[in-house]
Amino acid sequence: MDGDQDSLDELDAALSELTSDPNFPQGLKHMSSATLGEARYFSTLPMRDAYLKAVLEATIEMDLDELHQTKTNYLDVYLRCV
């Protein structure tokens, strides 16, 4: 079990580093091993490609709106970070 906790700690550290980048999609900034672990409860519901696409598009649109307010070359900034 200690190995499992070490792996979770390592995953959380990597996720924290990834999500701390200001250009990371802010709609996903609270991602952690705990939130990813909760995803297993959604497996009983069929996840259609259209739903996943809608979630990803909404996240990207929110990020672009936020960057557009602060940077003139917001699309270039976003694409460099993707």
Side-chain angles (χ1 to χ4, degrees), residues 8-68:
L8 287 175
D9 292 343
E10 188 176 326
L11 174 61
D12 281 329
L15 287 171
S16 177
E17 182 179 336
L18 180 67
T19 59
S20 67
D21 186 310
N23 296 310
F24 186 80
Q26 295 302 294
L28 301 173
K29 71 180 178 180
H30 298 292
M31 189 175 8
S32 68
S33 63
T35 57
L36 291 173
E38 294 295 317
R40 71 178 173 267
Y41 297 114
F42 294 112
S43 65
T44 58
L45 302 173
M47 176 64 106
R48 299 202 187 320
D49 291 345
Y51 299 148
L52 182 57
K53 182 180 176 188
V55 168
L56 293 174
E57 283 179 355
T59 300
I60 291 167
E61 287 174 4
M62 289 180 349
D63 290 343
L64 288 176
D65 282 345
E66 188 172 315
L67 280 173
H68 182 60

